[in-house]
Amino acid sequence: SGSNVCLSKTDLQKRLWGNTYYNSETKKFTKKPTSGSATGDKRTFCTFILEPLYKLYTTCLSENEKNLNKALRSLGIHLSKDQLRSDVHVLLNIVMRKFFGDCRSFVDMVVKNVPTPLVAS
């Protein structure tokens, strides 16, 4: 994944939308996918936003308490044993609220700060 990429917030925001691809082998951004890449270049938004969210979601669904607790702690999310053992719907609700905070605030922040794909490209 792109965990070793060092970019300013502004530079990453510019690369999130449109036809910008990230090559995890070279750790570089390109305007076109690199042919012959073993891992296959993915759009930046998928690499840095969607895939981490999918991983968080599937880890919650996995019912492996130890792996889930480790993953959540790496994100600064600390749950009690009772919360970790909650029904999956309750657990997802708790985790997503702790990850995103109040959803209204998150949506308001996205609307205010994230440019639309048309504006960003």
Side-chain angles (χ1 to χ4, degrees), residues 51-119:
E51 287 181 5
L53 281 175
Y54 289 153
K55 286 178 186 175
L56 179 59
Y57 184 82
T58 56
T59 303
C60 287
L61 296 178
S62 75
E63 298 181 12
N64 184 323
E65 186 180 321
K66 186 178 177 183
N67 287 347
L68 175 60
N69 195 32
K70 183 179 177 183
L72 292 176
R73 287 182 178 272
S74 76
L75 297 169
I77 298 172
H78 303 279
L79 301 181
S80 69
K81 287 192 184 284
D82 287 341
Q83 288 174 316
L84 286 167
R85 295 176 181 152
S86 297
D87 170 76
V88 70
H89 292 98
V90 173
L91 178 63
L92 277 169
N93 193 330
I94 293 168
V95 169
M96 293 304 166
R97 262 191 289 120
K98 288 189 177 273
F99 186 75
F100 289 114
D102 180 8
C103 288
R104 290 178 305 242
S105 298
F106 175 73
V107 172
D108 290 345
M109 183 276 308
V110 169
V111 169
K112 181 180 176 188
N113 294 302
V114 178
T116 66
L118 290 175
V119 172

Side-chain angles (χ1 to χ4, degrees), residues 18-48 51:
N19 293 325
T20 303
Y21 297 84
Y22 180 72
N23 184 307
S24 60
E25 293 172 354
T26 64
K27 306 225 182 292
K28 293 188 180 189
F29 295 91
T30 60
K31 291 290 182 184
K32 295 181 181 179
T34 309
S35 61
S37 172
T39 59
D41 296 351
K42 296 178 183 144
R43 291 185 191 269
T44 306
F45 183 82
C46 294
T47 300
F48 293 98
E51 287 181 5

